[in-house]
Amino acid sequence: MSLPKPQAGEISRRRFLGLAAGGLSAAALAACSGGPSTTSTDSSGKPETLDYTGVKPAGTITFWSSNPGSSQEVTQQIIDAFHQSQSDIKVQLVSAGSTYEDIAQKFQAAQAGGTLPDLVVLSDVWWFRYYLQDSIVPLDGLFKALNWDTGDYREQLLSDYKYKGATWAVPWARSTPLFYWNKAHFAAAGLPDRAPKTWDEFAEWAPKLKSANAGLQNAFQLPALAGYAGWSFQNNLWGTGGGWSAKETFDVTCDKPESVQALQFLADAVYKGKWSGVAGKDSTQDLSAGAVSATVGSTGSLVGILKVAKFDVGAGFLPGGPKSTSPVCPTGGAGVGIPKKIKPENQVAAATFIKFLTSPANTLKFAQATGYMPVRKSADTSTLTSRTPQSQVAIDQLAATRNQDWARVFLPGADQEMANACAEILTKNGDVQTQLTKLKGTLEGIYNTQVKPHLK
């Protein structure tokens, strides 16, 4: 069954979340997912811009982070610099788990009666659940109160958090997937020192890599499926003209011939060509150890790869497919936001720190330490790229990114269902068409029961 497509102008990506916020059961949104349960909130119309006139910042605030990209050390350095720059506000960094899901659970528990943070990491996929719960504050009043000009943020990143005429988070640890390779392995195989332009081209290179590099585990290592399949495999799907769903609609297309073609290519790489494997934990660690010649991983993994690898590491754009070579790359990562149920004094103090945290100088410092992209246009990236030339690739690729499929980011629990289907195909040799047809039924079930009734 094919889901009806919205008529032209009927519903945009942003309008969907606006409608969802107005009536969609947040408890239903959280069902089938590993994140927090939420309650329905009536937030029709544009949120009121809060007035912080005369509000003095609190003296002490807490920042909950999952330390994405092993960023705890550099984040603490930025906090220390903030303390040196002024004496009114002290920031305490709290490690609230190691994943976005960990923070979601802890933040939800705090809503039910615990101690809330004053600012919190918000995944680009998870943040709207907090919005639906009415548990985060629109930041526009704080922008005004602090004379905070947001025009310098990269629009592709800031716009991810703009809904219903308000801004709900500020981009911080933002990323795209990159194609990483072992330059020594490529040289030994007589291959060009670049990322392949298409996956078909890499399939031609793979036997040469295995032949030229004794003891090689795999020419390519697919990312660990949990948390990555739904995200990174959009690249493969888009390259064939497929997708988890049709562009900017809820028409689930994961079982269409083009989508089946993309996943069949990956399955053949594992089982027929035997040049690819599936990472058990982290494919970038497998690359860094020299066990594989190439992989796809987040820009947030770049610095970690370079620290561990004993060889020159290449980084390039994601390969395209037989139908499309651009844009075939999604963005990802996280921003930071502020809880609603804290005192205005704490909200002002938190915003003051976020402004400092994401300043041009500090977004550059954060990028240098982690590999995430600088989120400010005015950040002088020359120092960054001179130290780490590979980081320029992530900045350049940003112009060739595409919004993620609605089926992944707007259907609650869909990302895990995608990972489960990919695991059946890539680790159990399940039939591709059968598994993707089953996945379509699951996704349509989520849409029909939890989303469609609320779109009117």
Side-chain angles (χ1 to χ4, degrees):
M1 180 184 72
S2 176
L3 299 180
K5 296 182 180 180
Q7 297 298 312
E10 178 184 348
I11 180 168
S12 68
R13 177 175 183 266
R14 292 196 175 111
R15 186 178 169 222
F16 161 66
L17 283 189
L19 290 168
L24 179 56
S25 167
L29 272 175
C32 305
S33 76
S37 62
T38 54
T39 56
S40 181
T41 298
D42 181 9
S43 55
S44 59
K46 181 178 178 179
E48 180 182 0
T49 299
L50 302 178
D51 186 359
Y52 291 90
T53 302
V55 177
K56 295 183 179 180
T60 302
I61 57 174
T62 57
F63 175 21
W64 281 10
S65 177
S66 59
N67 304 312
S70 301
S71 58
Q72 182 173 356
E73 182 178 355
V74 66
T75 302
Q76 187 60 56
Q77 290 173 0
I78 294 172
I79 291 173
D80 293 342
F82 179 67
H83 293 161
Q84 294 173 5
S85 71
Q86 51 78 54
S87 58
D88 296 328
I89 305 168
K90 296 296 181 182
V91 179
Q92 179 184 3
L93 179 63
V94 177
S95 294
S98 59
T99 68
Y100 298 136
E101 288 72 21
D102 290 342
I103 284 188
Q105 295 289 354
K106 187 168 183 175
F107 189 58
Q108 176 63 21
Q111 295 293 326
T115 301
L116 287 166
D118 299 298
L119 63 153
V120 61
V121 169
L122 302 175
S123 162
D124 62 334
V125 172
W126 288 92
W127 77 264
F128 71 89
R129 297 172 188 259
Y130 309 137
Y131 163 61
L132 290 169
Q133 187 187 15
D134 195 27
S135 60
I136 55 175
V137 68
L139 301 179
D140 305 87
L142 291 162
F143 294 154
K144 181 178 179 181
L146 298 177
N147 295 316
W148 185 352
D149 181 8
T150 61
D152 186 46
Y153 288 90
R154 295 182 185 274
E155 182 59 27
Q156 303 100 316
L157 305 180
L158 183 65
S159 64
D160 283 342
Y161 307 105
K162 290 183 177 180
Y163 292 92
K164 294 186 72 65
T167 308
W168 300 89
V170 174
W172 177 50
R174 296 304 306 273
S175 62
T176 62
L178 293 178
F179 184 92
Y180 294 108
W181 73 92
N182 183 318
K183 291 196 170 195
H185 286 186
F186 274 45
L191 298 175
D193 185 24
R194 61 170 174 82
K197 296 178 180 179
T198 65
W199 286 108
D200 285 336
E201 183 177 42
F202 187 77
E204 295 175 359
W205 292 358
K208 299 177 182 179
L209 286 165
K210 293 194 70 174
S211 177
N213 295 282
L216 188 65
Q217 180 182 346
N218 292 303
F220 184 81
Q221 193 82 317
L222 291 166
L225 300 180
Y228 283 95
W231 183 49
S232 63
F233 289 174
Q234 288 172 116
N235 159 250
N236 304 88
L237 293 163
W238 295 343
T240 61
W244 298 121
S245 54
K247 190 174 182 179
E248 296 190 349
T249 78
F250 288 105
D251 186 3
V252 178
T253 58
C254 63
D255 70 330
K256 299 296 185 183
E258 297 85 356
S259 301
V260 172
Q261 177 186 354
L263 271 294
Q264 187 66 61
F265 176 88
L266 297 180
D268 288 346
V270 174
Y271 294 107
K272 290 185 178 180
K274 299 186 184 299
W275 51 262
S276 179
V278 180
K281 184 177 181 181
D282 188 336
S283 65
T284 62
Q285 292 180 4
D286 299 336
L287 175 74
S288 300
V292 301
S293 295
T295 192
V296 165
S298 168
T299 56
S301 301
L302 176 58
V303 170
I305 294 172
L306 296 178
K307 285 181 179 179
V308 175
K310 305 300 183 183
F311 52 84
D312 288 338
V313 177
F317 281 21
L318 294 188
K323 185 170 182 179
S324 300
T325 56
S326 181
V328 291
C329 179
T331 58
V336 283
I338 298 174
K340 185 173 184 178
K341 297 177 183 178
I342 60 174
K343 294 179 180 179
E345 294 86 347
N346 293 67
Q347 293 172 350
V348 171
T352 302
F353 175 65
I354 294 174
K355 183 179 180 182
F356 184 87
L357 175 71
T358 60
S359 70
N362 285 324
T363 191
L364 184 62
K365 182 181 181 68
F366 189 78
Q368 289 172 333
T370 62
Y372 284 105
M373 292 181 291
V375 300
R376 300 290 288 267
K377 292 180 287 188
S378 65
D380 183 359
T381 59
S382 59
T383 302
L384 171 64
T385 56
S386 64
R387 290 184 184 179
T388 313
Q390 297 92 333
S391 62
Q392 185 65 50
V393 176
I395 297 170
D396 293 343
Q397 189 177 225
L398 185 59
T401 55
R402 172 176 160 179
N403 286 341
Q404 294 192 54
D405 289 337
W406 285 17
R408 177 176 186 256
V409 294
F410 293 153
L411 297 184
D415 195 38
Q416 186 59 52
E417 297 296 344
M418 293 167 184
N420 292 341
C422 290
E424 290 291 329
I425 294 168
L426 299 172
T427 66
K428 299 180 181 179
N429 201 14
D431 180 74
V432 177
Q433 182 70 68
T434 299
Q435 294 302 322
L436 293 183
T437 299
K438 180 181 178 181
L439 175 63
K440 178 179 181 178
T442 300
L443 298 181
E444 286 187 340
I446 296 172
Y447 172 82
N448 285 321
T449 59
Q450 301 181 41
V451 177
K452 183 180 178 181
H454 305 279
L455 290 182
K456 296 179 181 181

